[in-house]
Amino acid sequence: MISQEDIFQIGSKKEFEKITLKVFRHQYDTNLVYQQFCNFLKKNKTNVKSLTEIPFLPIQFFKSHNVLSSSEPVEQIFTSSGTTGMQTSKHLVTDVSWYEMSYRLGFSEFYGNIEDYCVLALLPSYLEREGSSLIYMVEDLIQSSNHTDSGFYLHNHNELLQKIEKLNKEGQNTILIGVTYALLDLIEYAQATSFPLTELGGNLIIMETGGMKGKRKEMIREELHSLLCNGFGVSKIHSEYGMTELLSQAYSLGDGVFECPPWMQILIRDTEDALTYVSEGKTGGINVIDLANINSCSFIATQDLGKKHPNHSFEVLGRFDHSDIRGCNLMVI
């Protein structure tokens, strides 16, 4: 039996690998979809001895199959966003406390105590549909902050700007979590109404979490972050890398360089051969080990392109051609 303590108290590279192989054996035994995929690749419990030998399930399987490593009842179904007619992903979660533990500990790993912040959320495209794992997380962070001004905003830009101004005058540390196009809309509204937004960035963290959702033209990260920095009067833009099929998030504190919590790791696969890996600094497909996904699948081959740095941090560089536009922080090259 693998417990939450086993996963969320990982303290070393050796311990991570040991528990990861244990999770692989557990999911091979209990997840029929994953087992069949492994068998197709002629991989099983006896011949997988290291992380790089573990098969990574293509993320598309979450659209066509129920990916489960548990016989317990499903407590929560998280679904991906998608345009009309597009098949969406489903992440069946049998124990949502794993997700709650993952994002709470993950946040504190990078930002400290949530009660030190006021949390503002500008996530209209997520709020306007059901089943968003991002909304579930942010709603809990808002409540956990215990700050009376924390909350969601939809299209009430003036109210949000007044709130940011009030919090700035109070010297309150504030995180504004926003989908990219909505953050740009807020900047344009402030400029159109001559609101002094650029003067309020002293205690403000801007965290962008997602692309344009079809609302605006996609742009490269450097251009986007320059616009956001200038518009909000901040020196860095923070980012969150997560998706429907994961229960953990990586965070960037600036410059588009992400780091994972101790129970999550990124591998970069060769774009020409999905079963081999490229060296640090080279571009390839992003494979994610998310040990919080204990009851679904912890080994996911995403459709994102990225590269890894020597200190295990990584960048997201775009997407494979012809793949659906979805998920968080999927910037085009």
Side-chain angles (χ1 to χ4, degrees), residues 184-199:
L184 293 172
D185 287 350
L186 183 64
I187 290 172
E188 290 180 359
Y189 179 87
Q191 291 169 344
T193 57
S194 300
F195 187 89
L197 181 58
T198 55
E199 300 172 15

Side-chain angles (χ1 to χ4, degrees), residues 246-269:
L246 301 178
L247 293 184
S248 300
Q249 302 78 32
Y251 288 99
S252 167
L253 306 189
D255 303 316
V257 178
F258 291 88
E259 294 186 38
C260 296
W263 55 91
M264 180 183 182
Q265 193 174 118
I266 300 295
L267 302 175
I268 306 296
R269 68 183 185 271

Side-chain angles (χ1 to χ4, degrees), residues 40-323:
F40 179 77
L41 297 176
K42 295 180 170 53
K43 295 285 188 179
N44 55 54
K45 292 191 299 181
T46 60
N47 60 19
V48 170
K49 305 293 186 183
S50 68
L51 298 192
T52 54
E53 294 174 323
I54 293 174
F56 282 74
L57 189 72
I59 201 165
Q60 299 95 311
F61 275 72
F62 283 83
K63 292 184 176 182
S64 55
H65 295 75
N66 290 336
V67 182
L68 277 169
S69 299
S70 172
S71 59
E72 295 297 312
V74 173
E75 286 186 358
Q76 191 83 29
I77 300 176
F78 293 126
T79 57
S80 64
S81 57
T83 57
T84 303
M86 181 187 291
Q87 189 177 8
T88 57
S89 291
K90 292 185 305 179
H91 191 175
L92 308 180
V93 180
T94 58
D95 185 352
V96 78
S97 72
W98 281 86
Y99 184 41
E100 293 167 347
M101 182 76 76
S102 178
Y103 65 65
R104 288 170 184 167
L105 291 175
F107 181 91
S108 65
E109 178 88 10
F110 294 97
Y111 294 99
N113 190 342
I114 184 64
E115 293 187 1
D116 293 336
Y117 298 91
C118 177
V119 180
L120 307 176
L122 186 59
L123 300 165
S125 55
Y126 293 93
L127 273 177
E128 291 161 350
R129 69 175 184 86
E130 292 190 4
S132 167
S133 57
L134 178 64
I135 293 296
Y136 189 100
M137 176 182 79
V138 173
E139 188 168 35
D140 187 66
L141 292 177
I142 286 170
Q143 292 174 355
S144 299
S145 72
N146 290 324
H147 197 288
T148 54
D149 289 323
S150 291
F152 285 100
Y153 291 80
L154 200 54
H155 302 294
N156 42 343
H157 290 153
N158 185 63
E159 184 183 348
L160 176 55
L161 290 172
Q162 298 296 331
K163 186 75 70 179
I164 293 171
E165 184 175 44
K166 170 183 175 289
L167 293 165
N168 180 67
K169 287 178 179 177
E170 295 171 353
Q172 171 65 48
N173 291 325
T174 302
I175 297 180
L176 173 58
I177 303 175
V179 63
T180 307
Y181 78 84
L183 292 173
L184 293 172
D185 287 350
L186 183 64
I187 290 172
E188 290 180 359
Y189 179 87
Q191 291 169 344
T193 57
S194 300
F195 187 89
L197 181 58
T198 55
E199 300 172 15
L200 307 179
N203 299 298
L204 182 63
I205 292 173
I206 302 299
M207 184 185 294
E208 57 101 0
T209 176
M212 299 301 184
K213 305 297 179 187
K215 305 286 187 178
R216 288 172 177 255
K217 180 183 176 183
E218 296 284 345
M219 61 181 72
I220 61 171
R221 178 185 55 79
E222 290 81 3
E223 180 186 2
L224 170 65
H225 282 202
S226 177
L227 284 173
L228 293 174
C229 283
N230 292 334
F232 284 101
V234 296
S235 60
K236 298 283 187 183
I237 299 300
H238 295 220
S239 304
E240 178 254 1
Y241 180 74
M243 57 191 70
T244 301
E245 300 83 358
L246 301 178
L247 293 184
S248 300
Q249 302 78 32
Y251 288 99
S252 167
L253 306 189
D255 303 316
V257 178
F258 291 88
E259 294 186 38
C260 296
W263 55 91
M264 180 183 182
Q265 193 174 118
I266 300 295
L267 302 175
I268 306 296
R269 68 183 185 271
D270 192 318
T271 55
E272 302 298 324
D273 180 0
L275 301 181
T276 62
Y277 293 95
V278 300
S279 56
E280 291 167 349
K282 291 190 175 181
T283 299
I286 294 178
N287 283 1
V288 181
I289 300 174
D290 180 8
L291 298 181
N293 271 14
I294 186 72
N295 294 320
S296 55
C297 183
S298 291
F299 312 102
I300 298 174
T302 77
Q303 294 177 326
D304 301 339
L305 291 167
K307 65 179 179 181
K308 203 168 179 181
H309 298 297
N311 62 352
H312 297 296
S313 63
F314 68 100
E315 294 181 58
V316 182
L317 301 175
R319 294 186 63 80
F320 281 88
D321 291 338
H322 311 303
S323 60

